[in-house]
Amino acid sequence: MPSQAILEQKKAAVAGLAQVLRGACAGVLVEYKGINVADDTRLRSDLRAAGVRYSVVKNTQLELAAKQADLEGLTPYLANTTALATSTEDYTAAARILSKFASKSKTFKVKTGFVDGKVIDQAKVDALAKLPSREVLLATVCNAFQAPIAAFARAMQAIVDKANPPAETAEPEPEAA
């Protein structure tokens, strides 16, 4: 039987993990076996650069934290090795980076994920991974708004140019001698 101090540490770890799950807009669970140190370092660096929190978690602790965070749908996926990637701002970053890495690996697998407190299956994680990043989507929306305004400005300029044609430069008449 573990000591009271160890039980309190484990309870605090579960509570902290539950808080991470509740605070995340999206997350992905992966089976990380078969990954070497160099690949793991590169993967963690990519995730960190995208603002994604990535950590290896114990299945029992994640199961308890998921119950506290109302994500009990994660429980069937908690077998073998499990790592959790969560993001508080970008819905697609974790899915995009981990799916790309999993496509190049034979042993690294995406298990499941969640978005806004709803568990999604691996196929939906793959679909989420194919979406462009938030910045690309915002740029697309801005371009969609800008195009009609630019077309309107060009049309107005064409009307002004037609109404006020530029003065033609007259060639000087030859002088009669």
Side-chain angles (χ1 to χ4, degrees):
M1 183 82 182
S3 70
Q4 189 65 27
I6 292 174
L7 283 176
E8 291 303 318
Q9 287 176 346
K10 289 182 178 184
K11 285 180 183 179
V14 168
L17 192 53
Q19 187 63 32
V20 167
L21 292 174
R22 279 192 291 271
C25 64
V28 178
L29 268 65
V30 295
E31 186 172 331
Y32 66 89
K33 69 180 177 184
I35 182 172
N36 63 37
V37 174
D39 288 342
D40 186 52
T41 303
R42 192 174 324 109
L43 176 64
R44 287 175 185 265
S45 175
D46 291 346
L47 290 166
R48 201 175 311 111
V52 177
R53 178 184 171 165
Y54 179 80
S55 59
V56 173
V57 293
K58 292 186 176 191
N59 290 329
T60 305
Q61 287 181 347
L62 184 55
E63 181 178 4
L64 294 170
K67 286 179 183 176
Q68 289 181 15
D70 295 326
L71 285 170
E72 294 182 38
L74 295 178
T75 303
Y77 301 98
L78 300 177
N80 301 323
T81 59
T82 303
L84 172 67
T86 57
S87 177
T88 57
E89 296 176 8
D90 190 346
Y91 285 86
T92 64
R96 185 176 59 253
I97 294 167
L98 292 172
S99 291
K100 181 180 175 184
F101 188 83
S103 69
K104 297 176 183 176
S105 174
K106 294 180 182 177
T107 56
F108 188 91
K109 298 176 187 168
V110 173
K111 292 181 177 185
T112 189
F114 62 92
V115 175
D116 288 334
K118 305 288 185 222
V119 177
I120 58 175
D121 62 7
Q122 200 246 339
K124 289 182 182 173
V125 172
D126 288 341
L128 186 64
K130 292 176 184 168
L131 290 175
S133 68
R134 181 177 187 269
E135 290 77 21
V136 172
L137 289 174
L138 288 174
T140 304
V141 169
C142 287
N143 285 337
F145 284 133
Q146 184 181 13
I149 294 169
F152 177 72
R154 284 191 297 274
M156 293 302 293
Q157 187 62 46
I159 291 171
V160 169
D161 291 346
K162 187 175 182 182
N164 300 321
E168 293 182 26
T169 57
E171 293 184 27
E173 294 183 20
E175 293 182 21

